[in-house]
Amino acid sequence: HYPMFHQIEGLYVDEGVTMSDLKTCLDQFAKAYFGPEISARLIPSYFPFTEPSVEVHIKHPVLGWFELGGSGIFRPEVTEPLGIKVPVLAWGLGIDRMALTSMGLHDIRELFTNSIEDVRSRRIS
């Protein structure tokens, strides 16, 4: 895989936030970015700083379901040293995968072509 990793991250800090709130946030983001017909699903996974941890998947009309990123609730040992004693929802979504769908590409390797003109010729919707 590629040595670089690009993502957009989000945090939601509040008393009583739950995985249901995380699902709602990610659904709203998916609809705002990809369109109203898109929704996100959460698949149980493991990430060392969150528990529970889930992968965020969206359904692309050509590619089918694919992982957009990871998310979960920060573990207390991550947040308590910072003085945070309430739940913290966290997510990191792959910018490359978002660009893939916006540019009408069907293979992420097309973003990393040797021809910059190929990339520039793509119109982002």
Side-chain angles (χ1 to χ4, degrees):
H1 203 295
Y2 297 104
M4 57 248 167
F5 187 63
H6 307 104
Q7 70 180 31
I8 184 169
E9 297 178 343
L11 298 172
Y12 180 0
V13 182
D14 200 2
E15 289 185 30
V17 292
T18 66
M19 289 298 286
S20 179
D21 297 307
L22 179 61
K23 170 76 167 119
T24 299
C25 284
L26 294 169
D27 267 339
Q28 289 177 350
F29 177 84
K31 289 179 186 325
Y33 187 83
F34 298 103
E37 70 283 351
I38 298 293
S39 65
R41 72 178 181 186
L42 305 181
I43 305 295
S45 189
Y46 170 78
F47 300 104
F49 300 110
T50 58
E51 188 177 318
S53 301
V54 291
E55 295 176 355
V56 182
H57 290 218
I58 62 165
K59 189 169 187 177
H60 185 272
V62 175
L63 303 174
W65 286 101
F66 72 92
E67 182 184 353
L68 189 59
S71 63
I73 300 178
F74 271 130
R75 298 168 58 100
E77 56 267 31
V78 174
T79 58
E80 286 178 357
L82 303 171
I84 301 170
K85 301 204 183 321
V86 298
V88 178
L89 306 179
W91 58 90
L93 306 178
I95 294 173
D96 299 338
R97 294 172 188 214
M98 294 165 58
L100 172 82
T101 59
S102 292
M103 297 172 79
L105 304 174
H106 300 122
D107 187 333
I108 201 161
R109 292 173 291 190
E110 293 179 73
L111 286 175
F112 300 98
T113 178
N114 289 331
S115 171
I116 191 66
E117 291 307 316
D118 286 347
V119 175
R120 285 184 180 144
S121 70
R122 298 288 182 171
R123 175 170 264 199
I124 296 178
S125 56

